[in-house]
PDB file of all heavy atoms in Angstrom:
ATOM      1  N   VAL A  84      78.663 113.944  61.568  1.00  0.00           N
ATOM      2  CA  VAL A  84      77.773 113.208  62.545  1.00  0.00           C
ATOM      3  C   VAL A  84      77.973 111.690  62.430  1.00  0.00           C
ATOM      4  O   VAL A  84      78.062 111.009  63.468  1.00  0.00           O
ATOM      5  CB  VAL A  84      76.334 113.595  62.269  1.00  0.00           C
ATOM      6  CG1 VAL A  84      75.373 112.695  63.086  1.00  0.00           C
ATOM      7  CG2 VAL A  84      76.089 115.058  62.593  1.00  0.00           C
ATOM      8  N   ALA A  85      78.109 111.191  61.171  1.00  0.00           N
ATOM      9  CA  ALA A  85      78.318 109.738  61.016  1.00  0.00           C
ATOM     10  C   ALA A  85      79.674 109.277  61.619  1.00  0.00           C
ATOM     11  O   ALA A  85      79.717 108.288  62.264  1.00  0.00           O
ATOM     12  CB  ALA A  85      78.231 109.371  59.534  1.00  0.00           C
ATOM     13  N   ASN A  86      80.629 110.109  61.411  1.00  0.00           N
ATOM     14  CA  ASN A  86      82.030 109.802  61.944  1.00  0.00           C
ATOM     15  C   ASN A  86      81.978 109.749  63.492  1.00  0.00           C
ATOM     16  O   ASN A  86      82.534 108.854  64.115  1.00  0.00           O
ATOM     17  CB  ASN A  86      83.058 110.795  61.463  1.00  0.00           C
ATOM     18  CG  ASN A  86      84.406 110.451  61.915  1.00  0.00           C
ATOM     19  OD1 ASN A  86      85.002 109.439  61.565  1.00  0.00           O
ATOM     20  ND2 ASN A  86      84.999 111.367  62.677  1.00  0.00           N
ATOM     21  N   TYR A  87      81.419 110.760  64.113  1.00  0.00           N
ATOM     22  CA  TYR A  87      81.359 110.830  65.571  1.00  0.00           C
ATOM     23  C   TYR A  87      80.530 109.729  66.093  1.00  0.00           C
ATOM     24  O   TYR A  87      80.809 109.048  67.132  1.00  0.00           O
ATOM     25  CB  TYR A  87      80.794 112.194  65.980  1.00  0.00           C
ATOM     26  CG  TYR A  87      80.824 112.448  67.470  1.00  0.00           C
ATOM     27  CD1 TYR A  87      82.028 112.873  68.102  1.00  0.00           C
ATOM     28  CD2 TYR A  87      79.700 112.255  68.278  1.00  0.00           C
ATOM     29  CE1 TYR A  87      82.050 113.063  69.477  1.00  0.00           C
ATOM     30  CE2 TYR A  87      79.745 112.446  69.571  1.00  0.00           C
ATOM     31  CZ  TYR A  87      80.912 112.870  70.217  1.00  0.00           C
ATOM     32  OH  TYR A  87      80.988 113.025  71.557  1.00  0.00           O
ATOM     33  N   SER A  88      79.319 109.470  65.514  1.00  0.00           N
ATOM     34  CA  SER A  88      78.383 108.484  66.045  1.00  0.00           C
ATOM     35  C   SER A  88      78.905 107.058  65.898  1.00  0.00           C
ATOM     36  O   SER A  88      78.843 106.209  66.827  1.00  0.00           O
ATOM     37  CB  SER A  88      77.057 108.598  65.341  1.00  0.00           C
ATOM     38  OG  SER A  88      76.531 109.863  65.501  1.00  0.00           O
ATOM     39  N   LEU A  89      79.475 106.700  64.732  1.00  0.00           N
ATOM     40  CA  LEU A  89      79.881 105.334  64.443  1.00  0.00           C
ATOM     41  C   LEU A  89      81.211 105.015  65.120  1.00  0.00           C
ATOM     42  O   LEU A  89      81.385 103.844  65.502  1.00  0.00           O
ATOM     43  CB  LEU A  89      80.000 105.079  62.968  1.00  0.00           C
ATOM     44  CG  LEU A  89      78.700 105.242  62.155  1.00  0.00           C
ATOM     45  CD1 LEU A  89      78.900 104.971  60.692  1.00  0.00           C
ATOM     46  CD2 LEU A  89      77.665 104.187  62.668  1.00  0.00           C
ATOM     47  N   CYS A  90      82.022 106.014  65.248  1.00  0.00           N
ATOM     48  CA  CYS A  90      83.357 105.760  65.900  1.00  0.00           C
ATOM     49  C   CYS A  90      83.306 105.859  67.455  1.00  0.00           C
ATOM     50  O   CYS A  90      84.267 105.390  68.076  1.00  0.00           O
ATOM     51  CB  CYS A  90      84.398 106.750  65.365  1.00  0.00           C
ATOM     52  SG  CYS A  90      84.933 106.542  63.683  1.00  0.00           S
ATOM     53  N   PHE A  91      82.206 106.401  68.010  1.00  0.00           N
ATOM     54  CA  PHE A  91      82.184 106.580  69.458  1.00  0.00           C
ATOM     55  C   PHE A  91      82.274 105.231  70.226  1.00  0.00           C
ATOM     56  O   PHE A  91      83.035 105.248  71.211  1.00  0.00           O
ATOM     57  CB  PHE A  91      80.888 107.325  69.812  1.00  0.00           C
ATOM     58  CG  PHE A  91      80.923 107.769  71.273  1.00  0.00           C
ATOM     59  CD1 PHE A  91      81.406 108.998  71.655  1.00  0.00           C
ATOM     60  CD2 PHE A  91      80.358 106.956  72.265  1.00  0.00           C
ATOM     61  CE1 PHE A  91      81.421 109.424  72.992  1.00  0.00           C
ATOM     62  CE2 PHE A  91      80.350 107.360  73.581  1.00  0.00           C
ATOM     63  CZ  PHE A  91      80.881 108.574  73.916  1.00  0.00           C
ATOM     64  N   PRO A  92      81.483 104.241  69.853  1.00  0.00           N
ATOM     65  CA  PRO A  92      81.689 102.959  70.609  1.00  0.00           C
ATOM     66  C   PRO A  92      83.074 102.426  70.604  1.00  0.00           C
ATOM     67  O   PRO A  92      83.551 101.824  71.596  1.00  0.00           O
ATOM     68  CB  PRO A  92      80.657 101.993  69.935  1.00  0.00           C
ATOM     69  CG  PRO A  92      79.691 102.860  69.273  1.00  0.00           C
ATOM     70  CD  PRO A  92      80.447 104.109  68.772  1.00  0.00           C
ATOM     71  N   ILE A  93      83.784 102.556  69.450  1.00  0.00           N
ATOM     72  CA  ILE A  93      85.115 102.090  69.279  1.00  0.00           C
ATOM     73  C   ILE A  93      86.076 102.893  70.175  1.00  0.00           C
ATOM     74  O   ILE A  93      86.882 102.316  70.886  1.00  0.00           O
ATOM     75  CB  ILE A  93      85.548 102.113  67.833  1.00  0.00           C
ATOM     76  CG1 ILE A  93      84.591 101.267  66.981  1.00  0.00           C
ATOM     77  CG2 ILE A  93      86.974 101.601  67.629  1.00  0.00           C
ATOM     78  CD1 ILE A  93      84.846 101.407  65.458  1.00  0.00           C
ATOM     79  N   VAL A  94      85.870 104.199  70.188  1.00  0.00           N
ATOM     80  CA  VAL A  94      86.718 105.062  70.966  1.00  0.00           C
ATOM     81  C   VAL A  94      86.480 104.795  72.502  1.00  0.00           C
ATOM     82  O   VAL A  94      87.400 104.722  73.307  1.00  0.00           O
ATOM     83  CB  VAL A  94      86.441 106.591  70.717  1.00  0.00           C
ATOM     84  CG1 VAL A  94      87.186 107.479  71.661  1.00  0.00           C
ATOM     85  CG2 VAL A  94      86.831 106.902  69.272  1.00  0.00           C
ATOM     86  N   ALA A  95      85.183 104.585  72.912  1.00  0.00           N
ATOM     87  CA  ALA A  95      84.905 104.309  74.281  1.00  0.00           C
ATOM     88  C   ALA A  95      85.574 103.007  74.755  1.00  0.00           C
ATOM     89  O   ALA A  95      86.112 102.932  75.854  1.00  0.00           O
ATOM     90  CB  ALA A  95      83.372 104.181  74.514  1.00  0.00           C
ATOM     91  N   ALA A  96      85.549 101.967  73.880  1.00  0.00           N
ATOM     92  CA  ALA A  96      86.189 100.678  74.191  1.00  0.00           C
ATOM     93  C   ALA A  96      87.735 100.935  74.312  1.00  0.00           C
ATOM     94  O   ALA A  96      88.403 100.286  75.144  1.00  0.00           O
ATOM     95  CB  ALA A  96      85.868  99.669  73.166  1.00  0.00           C
ATOM     96  N   ARG A  97      88.323 101.646  73.483  1.00  0.00           N
ATOM     97  CA  ARG A  97      89.786 101.940  73.485  1.00  0.00           C
ATOM     98  C   ARG A  97      90.144 102.667  74.766  1.00  0.00           C
ATOM     99  O   ARG A  97      91.154 102.339  75.422  1.00  0.00           O
ATOM    100  CB  ARG A  97      90.135 102.689  72.238  1.00  0.00           C
ATOM    101  CG  ARG A  97      91.607 103.092  72.244  1.00  0.00           C
ATOM    102  CD  ARG A  97      92.049 103.669  70.921  1.00  0.00           C
ATOM    103  NE  ARG A  97      91.309 104.895  70.561  1.00  0.00           N
ATOM    104  CZ  ARG A  97      91.604 106.113  71.034  1.00  0.00           C
ATOM    105  NH1 ARG A  97      92.590 106.258  71.909  1.00  0.00           N
ATOM    106  NH2 ARG A  97      90.863 107.124  70.663  1.00  0.00           N
ATOM    107  N   HIS A  98      89.357 103.698  75.132  1.00  0.00           N
ATOM    108  CA  HIS A  98      89.676 104.422  76.354  1.00  0.00           C
ATOM    109  C   HIS A  98      89.585 103.522  77.636  1.00  0.00           C
ATOM    110  O   HIS A  98      90.339 103.643  78.573  1.00  0.00           O
ATOM    111  CB  HIS A  98      88.679 105.555  76.538  1.00  0.00           C
ATOM    112  CG  HIS A  98      88.943 106.733  75.600  1.00  0.00           C
ATOM    113  ND1 HIS A  98      88.127 107.770  75.465  1.00  0.00           N
ATOM    114  CD2 HIS A  98      89.982 106.900  74.671  1.00  0.00           C
ATOM    115  CE1 HIS A  98      88.614 108.594  74.533  1.00  0.00           C
ATOM    116  NE2 HIS A  98      89.692 108.076  74.032  1.00  0.00           N
ATOM    117  N   ARG A  99      88.637 102.592  77.551  1.00  0.00           N
ATOM    118  CA  ARG A  99      88.515 101.663  78.701  1.00  0.00           C
ATOM    119  C   ARG A  99      89.747 100.816  78.887  1.00  0.00           C
ATOM    120  O   ARG A  99      90.236 100.563  79.961  1.00  0.00           O
ATOM    121  CB  ARG A  99      87.289 100.783  78.515  1.00  0.00           C
ATOM    122  CG  ARG A  99      86.925  99.814  79.640  1.00  0.00           C
ATOM    123  CD  ARG A  99      85.712  99.055  79.411  1.00  0.00           C
ATOM    124  NE  ARG A  99      84.557  99.877  79.073  1.00  0.00           N
ATOM    125  CZ  ARG A  99      83.951  99.883  77.903  1.00  0.00           C
ATOM    126  NH1 ARG A  99      84.380  99.055  76.905  1.00  0.00           N
ATOM    127  NH2 ARG A  99      82.901 100.637  77.649  1.00  0.00           N
ATOM    128  N   LEU A 100      90.308 100.295  77.768  1.00  0.00           N
ATOM    129  CA  LEU A 100      91.492  99.467  77.801  1.00  0.00           C
ATOM    130  C   LEU A 100      92.706 100.285  78.175  1.00  0.00           C
ATOM    131  O   LEU A 100      93.696  99.773  78.775  1.00  0.00           O
ATOM    132  CB  LEU A 100      91.704  98.713  76.485  1.00  0.00           C
ATOM    133  CG  LEU A 100      90.618  97.761  76.101  1.00  0.00           C
ATOM    134  CD1 LEU A 100      90.874  97.137  74.723  1.00  0.00           C
ATOM    135  CD2 LEU A 100      90.488  96.644  77.145  1.00  0.00           C
ATOM    136  N   GLN A 101      92.783 101.594  77.764  1.00  0.00           N
ATOM    137  CA  GLN A 101      93.918 102.394  78.072  1.00  0.00           C
ATOM    138  C   GLN A 101      93.941 102.833  79.583  1.00  0.00           C
ATOM    139  O   GLN A 101      95.047 102.954  80.072  1.00  0.00           O
ATOM    140  CB  GLN A 101      93.883 103.698  77.158  1.00  0.00           C
ATOM    141  CG  GLN A 101      94.331 103.492  75.752  1.00  0.00           C
ATOM    142  CD  GLN A 101      94.343 104.828  74.971  1.00  0.00           C
ATOM    143  OE1 GLN A 101      93.270 105.283  74.496  1.00  0.00           O
ATOM    144  NE2 GLN A 101      95.457 105.426  74.917  1.00  0.00           N
ATOM    145  N   ALA A 102      92.826 102.974  80.143  1.00  0.00           N
ATOM    146  CA  ALA A 102      92.762 103.471  81.498  1.00  0.00           C
ATOM    147  C   ALA A 102      92.972 102.348  82.555  1.00  0.00           C
ATOM    148  O   ALA A 102      93.445 102.713  83.689  1.00  0.00           O
ATOM    149  CB  ALA A 102      91.437 104.196  81.762  1.00  0.00           C
ATOM    150  N   VAL A 103      92.729 101.178  82.261  1.00  0.00           N
ATOM    151  CA  VAL A 103      92.843 100.053  83.211  1.00  0.00           C
ATOM    152  C   VAL A 103      94.233  99.431  83.060  1.00  0.00           C
ATOM    153  O   VAL A 103      94.557  98.880  81.994  1.00  0.00           O
ATOM    154  CB  VAL A 103      91.765  99.000  83.030  1.00  0.00           C
ATOM    155  CG1 VAL A 103      91.906  97.862  83.990  1.00  0.00           C
ATOM    156  CG2 VAL A 103      90.371  99.631  83.151  1.00  0.00           C
TER     157      VAL A 103
END
Side-chain angles (χ1 to χ4, degrees):
V84 171
N86 182 64
Y87 186 80
S88 302
L89 296 179
C90 290
F91 190 89
I93 303 175
V94 173
R97 176 172 61 83
H98 288 174
R99 186 180 304 117
L100 295 178
Q101 284 182 277
V103 178

